[in-house]
Amino acid sequence: MIDKLIILHHYLQTKLHHPIQTRQDLEVWQERRVHKHLKTVLPKSSFYHQYYQGLPIQEWRKFPIIEKQMMMEHFDRLNTVGIDKDDAYRIALASEENRDFSPQIHEVSVGLSSGTSGNRGLFLVSRQERLRWAGTILAKVLPAPLWKSQKIAFFLRANNNLYQTINSRRIQFRFFDLLDPIPLHIQRLNYYQPSILAAPPSVLRILAMALKSKELKIKPCKVISIAEVLEPLDDLFIKEQFQQTIHQVYQCTEGFLGVSCSHGTIHLNEDLVVIEKEYIDDRRFFPVITDFFRTTQPIIRYRLNDILVESSEPCTCGSIFTALEKIEGRSDDIFYLYSRFGGKFIPVFPDFLRRSILQAAAEIAEYRIIQHNPGLIEVLVKVPAEMRFVIERKIDIAMNHLFTSLECQLPQIIHTSWSPQTDFQKKLRRVERKFKFNDDQSDII
Ligand SMILES: [Zn+2]
């Protein structure tokens, strides 16, 4: 009961809070929040305390940045509850294997982010943080007031106590395990009849196909894309089948960072985090986040490798929170080609690649582009068989045109036959670079 009241408190706080009207007032408010937060949290985290070498809190924007690898390396001293990394890993891995997601260490939930093995992030969330998260996400995502009944279907790679927190009499939450086969999901969805459907776009796409073939018979009032980049091609198809705007929740291990508004624009949750922008070009940036609520595993000046693209105009919904044109992908998805003038590398952003493929032919239903090395790109497209040859030539032309305009050496482009994704444990990446590229040391133009 107390838990529900706390959730309700955070729900109302998120809904009603922010009499703040201007961007300037928001920034002043954020600054105060960060100071207050750092004052309580820094003395408890010996890692951060040492890392900042006595720099005053007022100068927090000068604190050195951290990234995932560093956070994991110093996990034991960074968290404020004395949880050991090996213990946390053991618990998180065991719960993923048994598909029993309830274990905790001293009321702290442990979760693992997706990623390649060895590169998975651990996250810790206390009961208080869990309740706050539940209240905020409900406030920001629910299409109707909290007291209206909702049935949420949530597709995830792994469940977490975090998500179970929002279960109540009115709000039903059901976890759909991505390890289960699709026909089973369809059967369960037909029976459950969710009012809110949240899933990675690769799964939404398959459900949209099942709607089209009338195997799936559901009518959710809100469809939310999570966990993967929502590509324009998928967005369009899913939107058509579900006959509604597809909303996006931008959330990762590191926090609940953004959500789309009623106009379909993603806004950053600047009432929960400060997002500093590390610009790559005039509108693309890497977010550097400082969460002013998380105390168990403090997130301070933490750089994510997501490429975000700022909107060129404010959103018509009137929100003062930063509007994004899109989440473009991760820095690992940027292709690097040799410069035409030799020696140096030229970055090619995922969006350029997407556009060149989609502009090549309207018949392309799905695609993947993989860069194997600076001189080799593989393209897979799903197209009508009789048109394959012609479309592949059009793709060659479109891509070569792109690379020429960027002054890259033309790579070899190979076409292989399309095969659908079957392993939903893996994130679908339509644009993917397969070789490691160290952009700190390499010679990039
Ligand atoms: Zn908006």
Side-chain angles (χ1 to χ4, degrees):
M1 188 59 203
I2 290 171
D3 282 5
K4 294 219 170 100
L5 284 176
I6 299 174
I7 293 178
L8 184 65
H9 165 78
H10 291 303
Y11 172 86
L12 291 172
Q13 203 182 32
T14 313
K15 276 275 184 209
L16 308 174
H17 171 235
H18 281 299
I20 299 174
Q21 300 287 327
T22 67
R23 186 72 209 175
Q24 204 183 3
D25 289 349
L26 173 71
E27 281 164 15
V28 171
W29 177 82
Q30 281 185 326
E31 196 68 25
R32 267 208 309 269
R33 288 280 354 171
V34 172
H35 289 182
K36 194 173 154 208
H37 180 65
L38 292 178
K39 225 173 262 172
T40 33
V41 105
L42 287 187
K44 292 185 198 153
S45 166
S46 62
F47 165 75
Y48 280 123
H49 193 75
Q50 197 180 6
Y51 192 44
Y52 298 151
Q53 298 181 339
L55 267 172
I57 282 172
Q58 287 73 14
E59 292 182 33
W60 69 274
R61 281 174 199 266
K62 290 188 190 148
F63 287 176
I65 284 174
I66 71 162
E67 286 183 327
K68 185 174 173 182
Q69 197 188 347
M70 188 178 249
M71 177 164 270
M72 289 305 116
E73 237 166 69
H74 301 280
F75 185 86
D76 298 5
R77 290 195 312 119
L78 186 144
N79 79 71
T80 60
V81 284
I83 290 181
D84 180 78
K85 182 161 82 178
D86 296 336
D87 290 344
Y89 257 121
R90 229 185 344 263
I91 288 192
L93 281 175
S95 75
E96 276 200 3
E97 263 162 42
N98 316 327
R99 312 310 280 169
D100 168 12
F101 300 98
S102 51
Q104 301 181 2
I105 310 178
H106 324 299
E107 284 215 325
V108 173
S109 307
V110 186
L112 269 174
S113 68
S114 55
T116 47
S117 57
N119 190 28
R120 303 188 68 182
L122 265 177
F123 63 101
L124 301 175
V125 185
S126 71
R127 187 169 149 270
Q128 284 301 326
E129 286 166 322
R130 214 154 60 223
L131 299 176
R132 171 183 289 282
W133 174 87
T136 352
I137 201 157
L138 289 172
K140 283 179 181 270
V141 174
L142 278 193
L146 191 57
W147 30 95
K148 280 238 175 118
S149 305
Q150 295 290 356
K151 284 175 161 186
I152 306 173
F154 209 166
F155 283 75
L156 286 167
R157 279 164 190 88
N159 201 356
N160 186 275
N161 286 321
L162 201 58
Y163 304 113
Q164 295 300 350
T165 311
I166 57 185
N167 240 332
S168 72
R169 196 158 49 86
R170 288 210 175 83
I171 297 178
Q172 286 186 54
F173 173 95
R174 201 155 296 173
F175 164 59
F176 287 74
D177 193 330
L178 285 176
L179 279 182
D180 290 338
I182 295 288
L184 182 64
H185 288 318
I186 293 176
Q187 203 184 341
R188 283 181 68 203
L189 285 170
N190 282 337
Y191 180 74
Y192 181 50
Q193 289 298 320
S195 59
I196 300 178
L197 172 65
S202 50
V203 174
L204 287 179
R205 191 181 174 99
I206 293 201
L207 297 178
M209 288 199 293
L211 265 188
K212 200 176 173 187
S213 66
K214 306 216 162 42
E215 278 166 86
L216 180 64
K217 297 184 187 79
I218 54 169
K219 271 199 167 156
C221 63
K222 190 162 186 175
V223 178
I224 307 166
S225 156
I226 52 170
E228 286 166 7
V229 174
L230 177 64
E231 301 252 351
L233 185 74
D234 298 319
D235 185 25
L236 196 72
F237 181 73
I238 300 163
K239 194 160 40 183
E240 250 171 40
Q241 303 309 324
F242 281 97
Q243 296 179 355
Q244 58 187 295
T245 304
I246 307 306
H247 288 269
Q248 292 190 67
V249 165
Y250 176 30
Q251 165 161 290
C252 50
T253 316
E254 291 80 7
F256 176 28
L257 304 179
V259 65
S260 53
C261 68
S262 56
H263 294 227
T265 307
I266 307 169
H267 290 277
L268 296 176
N269 289 333
E270 288 168 302
D271 50 347
L272 309 174
V273 285
V274 173
I275 300 192
E276 297 173 86
K277 298 166 186 165
E278 196 176 288
Y279 282 99
I280 317 168
D281 63 14
D282 52 339
R283 286 198 289 135
R284 286 186 172 80
F285 66 90
F286 291 123
V288 176
I289 56 179
T290 300
D291 185 313
F292 39 73
F293 289 114
R294 281 185 58 181
T295 53
T296 311
Q297 185 179 12
I299 308 278
I300 304 164
R301 300 209 81 214
Y302 182 100
R303 186 201 285 117
L304 287 174
N305 68 356
D306 293 334
I307 308 166
L308 308 186
V309 186
E310 237 172 354
S311 282
S312 51
E313 284 165 24
C315 180
T316 41
C317 76
S319 169
I320 53 168
F321 297 156
T322 301
L324 295 184
E325 186 184 303
K326 69 189 125 198
I327 299 163
E328 183 170 328
R330 301 186 314 187
S331 60
D332 319 357
D333 300 333
I334 301 175
F335 283 16
Y336 287 95
L337 274 80
Y338 294 117
S339 157
R340 189 158 71 85
F341 306 106
K344 303 196 174 199
F345 287 98
I346 295 182
V348 183
F349 293 114
D351 243 30
F352 295 168
L353 296 154
R354 281 183 196 120
R355 238 180 297 156
S356 75
I357 287 273
L358 294 178
Q359 280 169 0
E363 292 83 0
I364 299 172
E366 291 198 61
Y367 68 89
R368 287 185 65 206
I369 320 171
I370 303 159
Q371 187 183 23
H372 293 281
N373 62 53
L376 181 64
I377 290 177
E378 181 186 356
V379 178
L380 301 88
V381 283
K382 186 180 172 190
V383 288
E386 68 280 8
M387 300 179 75
R388 172 165 296 278
F389 182 78
V390 176
I391 290 177
E392 286 177 353
R393 296 297 77 71
K394 284 186 177 170
I395 290 173
D396 291 345
I397 295 169
M399 291 186 85
N400 283 336
H401 179 74
L402 168 72
F403 300 141
T404 310
S405 67
L406 293 171
E407 305 200 309
C408 309
Q409 257 181 52
L410 296 186
Q412 187 192 353
I413 301 172
I414 54 164
H415 296 270
T416 51
S417 54
W418 174 259
S419 55
Q421 186 193 19
T422 47
D423 180 3
F424 291 99
Q425 280 294 98
K426 273 202 201 134
K427 286 194 181 194
L428 172 66
R429 290 161 72 190
R430 295 205 181 278
V431 179
E432 183 178 7
R433 171 163 45 83
K434 283 249 167 123
F435 62 97
K436 270 210 170 5
F437 188 88
N438 189 345
D439 50 10
D440 289 335
Q441 285 156 25
S442 302
D443 243 345
I444 303 171
I445 291 181

